[in-house]
Amino acid sequence: MANIKAFKGYVFNQDKIDDLGKVMSSPYNFISPDEQKNLYELHENNTIRLSTYMNFNTDTTDDNPYTRAAGFVKDLIKKDILVQDKEPTIYLYEQELLFNKITFKNTGFVALLELDDAEKTVVPCESVSETDKSDRYKLMSHVKANFNMINCMYIESEKYLSRLIDEVRESSPDISFTIPDGTKERIWRITDPAKISFIADSLKPHTVYITDGQNRYEMALRYRNNCRKNNPNHTGKESYNYIMTLLTNTYDDGMVHTPFHRLVKFSKPFNESFFIAACQDNFKVEKIIVDTDTSEFIDTIKKQIATTRHENKIALYCGGEYFYRLILKDSSYLKSCFPEKSDAYLSLDVTVLNKLILEDILNITKDDYDDRITYTKSVTEGVRRVRNKEFGCLLAINPVKAEQIREVALSGDKMPSHSICVFPKPATGVIINVF
């Protein structure tokens, strides 16, 4: 059973902050150095100081990014810039944005989710890097707060909580603002004990799947275990047994799953002819010429690899006015490489990409993967950076489908790192849970 509960969150004081959008930032792992600098300058209380902090050559054990982040939170609370809600609350959180010329409204419940290291009720979807784990653990240990909620999805085709969501949204939001990237943010407080019980009871039978925030979840488990070891009066009800979570129904229309495309660096000039010849062992290769403007070129790439069937299509772009479409011919070789993996795991574009292209053809191993591969959510950005000679090629893939996430998780496998990007992501600091 997935156990959730209401909590008294901290929010920015609207009497002291005229424009809440100026103190919010995007999630830490999606901020470029230039965006980091701009957010630091946007407002002295911007939450960039919590999640994507500055490092200095003068940093010491007593004065470093983690101690400064902890001091930042304490200072905001002391000055009443951050104020705690007076009643236990489940928050209805809605994000509205324009994506690919379509308006999406992603809506979910923000609550505390009980940690589950048995992976029976809270199931991770992706593998994660040890570097990110270490950084997030240090930050959590110093700040003792959740300021970036994790994303979890539950799967309920009947949408039985939708009526409650619609009822709550009939009133004006308690908090409303627009963050710098243009996403409109709205929050309603649900404090009625009967409604809170209904939400908790409705979600209890479900398994929830972590679609974003696996690093933070694993570090929350580690933090809880350390607290439990050092607390002789541990009961399991302490705040460190929970993590702030956005729970969204995967059947809601507002959630967008975007892929992470791969940009590849080469130490030597990229040999396109050799690459294409090597791909033909496992892929049907089609060269598609698009003599048109950039926007139509990008649209063509997306359309040519889009699929509703169980097949793998990958686009290769290495410059010029054309790209290659790679269609996997047979998955039997892949199965022989990973006999212990489920069919759901083998069906992922990123599995096909990592093994059959990056490893087998380009000789990119786990040891140099992070040095040679850069991720991007945007095909447009990928094409631009290849044309600017920053990278040798772009490999574009399709987004992971909701049913694939569920099937991989239920099989006991974890998707490779950077398989899925849930969009939009909650703003940093929109609600803060202090332990």
Side-chain angles (χ1 to χ4, degrees):
M1 296 187 295
N3 293 316
I4 69 163
K5 70 175 185 177
F7 67 108
K8 298 177 182 178
Y10 281 83
V11 296
F12 277 90
N13 188 343
Q14 297 179 80
D15 292 333
K16 296 202 172 187
I17 305 292
D18 292 334
D19 183 354
L20 292 181
K22 290 185 177 180
V23 296
M24 306 294 170
S25 65
S26 301
Y28 72 96
N29 49 347
F30 287 97
I31 295 177
S32 67
D34 286 343
E35 289 171 321
Q36 180 189 33
K37 182 175 181 294
N38 291 339
L39 288 170
Y40 260 84
E41 295 173 352
L42 182 63
H43 198 286
E44 62 181 355
N45 294 320
N46 190 283
T47 53
I48 190 71
R49 292 165 177 79
L50 284 174
S51 62
T52 316
Y53 30 71
M54 292 285 195
N55 293 279
F56 302 108
N57 294 330
T58 55
D59 284 350
T60 65
T61 54
D62 297 322
D63 183 14
N64 55 62
Y66 309 111
T67 60
R68 288 193 290 272
F72 178 65
V73 171
K74 291 177 181 176
D75 191 51
L76 292 181
I77 294 173
K78 182 179 179 181
K79 294 178 178 177
D80 284 333
I81 295 171
L82 273 180
V83 291
Q84 187 176 29
D85 284 333
K86 296 185 177 358
E87 299 179 84
T89 304
I90 288 180
Y91 302 84
L92 183 66
Y93 181 25
E94 179 181 84
Q95 295 172 282
E96 179 182 336
L97 79 161
L98 189 66
F99 181 75
N100 285 343
K101 302 177 182 178
I102 300 173
T103 298
F104 290 90
K105 286 185 179 180
N106 184 27
T107 308
F109 297 105
V110 179
L112 296 188
L113 174 67
E114 186 175 17
L115 297 167
D116 166 35
D117 47 10
E119 297 185 2
K120 291 182 178 179
T121 60
V122 184
V123 179
C125 291
E126 278 188 345
S127 300
V128 291
S129 72
E130 291 299 324
T131 302
D132 286 344
K133 287 182 184 180
S134 175
D135 174 68
R136 293 297 107 178
Y137 183 75
K138 289 179 183 177
L139 186 59
M140 179 181 290
S141 299
H142 281 81
V143 179
K144 296 180 172 56
N146 304 139
F147 42 84
N148 278 123
M149 60 192 80
I150 68 168
N151 285 55
C152 285
M153 72 174 191
Y154 60 95
I155 301 173
E156 177 46 65
S157 58
E158 297 301 321
K159 300 185 181 181
Y160 48 73
L161 284 168
S162 295
R163 263 182 283 180
L164 174 60
I165 291 174
D166 291 340
E167 178 188 335
V168 172
R169 286 195 298 195
E170 286 178 0
S171 61
S172 298
D174 297 299
I175 301 172
S176 179
F177 58 93
T178 301
I179 61 175
D181 70 2
T183 304
K184 297 177 181 178
E185 312 265 328
R186 304 180 186 98
I187 292 174
W188 292 262
R189 293 181 176 93
I190 302 172
T191 57
D192 180 359
K195 290 180 179 177
I196 289 173
S197 295
F198 176 73
I199 296 168
D201 291 343
S202 297
L203 292 174
K204 187 165 288 187
H206 290 282
T207 299
V208 297
Y209 301 91
I210 304 173
T211 52
D212 183 68
Q214 180 64 37
N215 281 323
R216 282 164 278 149
Y217 185 81
E218 292 193 16
M219 291 308 94
L221 284 171
R222 179 178 164 190
Y223 181 79
R224 180 209 62 183
N225 293 342
N226 188 54
C227 290
R228 182 168 58 188
K229 182 176 68 174
N230 294 301
N231 182 6
N233 299 314
H234 173 83
T235 65
K237 301 298 182 183
E238 295 85 359
S239 59
Y240 56 72
N241 292 286
Y242 297 83
I243 186 169
M244 184 172 64
T245 304
L246 174 63
L247 296 139
T248 308
N249 188 351
T250 192
Y251 282 100
D252 284 349
D253 297 331
M255 179 179 285
V256 184
H257 293 167
T258 60
F260 281 111
H261 312 294
R262 268 62 172 173
L263 286 158
V264 186
K265 289 181 181 178
F266 297 96
S267 56
K268 299 178 181 178
F270 176 58
N271 189 325
E272 183 179 328
S273 299
F274 168 79
F275 182 89
I276 294 304
C279 281
Q280 289 173 346
D281 288 342
N282 290 300
F283 297 91
K284 176 184 177 182
V285 180
E286 300 171 337
K287 185 175 183 178
I288 299 174
I289 299 172
V290 189
D291 185 10
T292 184
D293 60 30
T294 299
S295 62
E296 190 170 336
F297 186 86
I298 302 304
D299 288 341
T300 303
I301 290 177
K302 294 176 182 178
K303 289 175 182 176
Q304 288 297 323
I305 65 171
T307 177
T308 56
R309 300 188 299 168
H310 291 293
E311 59 182 351
N312 301 101
K313 294 181 180 179
I314 297 170
L316 163 70
Y317 177 70
C318 43
E321 297 177 339
Y322 62 91
F323 65 94
Y324 295 96
R325 180 169 65 177
L326 313 177
I327 305 174
L328 184 66
K329 293 187 287 189
D330 186 357
S331 61
S332 57
Y333 170 67
L334 201 62
K335 183 67 176 176
S336 69
C337 296
F338 302 105
E340 76 287 358
K341 293 294 186 182
S342 64
D343 289 343
Y345 179 89
L346 298 178
S347 75
L348 300 170
D349 278 3
V350 68
T351 302
V352 175
L353 173 64
N354 280 346
K355 174 58 182 172
L356 301 184
I357 297 177
L358 298 183
E359 182 179 335
D360 286 2
I361 298 177
L362 299 180
N363 297 314
I364 297 175
T365 66
K366 290 181 180 179
D367 294 335
D368 62 354
Y369 195 100
D370 289 341
D371 293 329
R372 294 188 59 186
I373 300 296
T374 293
Y375 307 100
T376 177
K377 295 182 296 178
S378 168
V379 176
T380 302
E381 179 192 14
V383 167
R384 176 183 60 78
R385 299 186 77 175
V386 171
R387 286 179 174 173
N388 289 345
K389 312 283 186 197
E390 296 177 58
F391 293 90
C393 70
L394 165 72
L395 288 154
I397 59 178
N398 284 300
V400 177
K401 299 177 178 64
E403 56 268 25
Q404 285 180 299
I405 298 171
R406 180 176 181 273
E407 289 168 3
V408 172
L410 288 177
S411 72
D413 290 328
K414 292 181 182 178
M415 294 186 294
S417 178
H418 289 83
S419 294
I420 181 174
C421 175
V422 177
F423 189 71
K425 292 178 180 286
T428 298
V430 62
I431 303 168
I432 296 177
N433 172 45
V434 178
F435 307 151

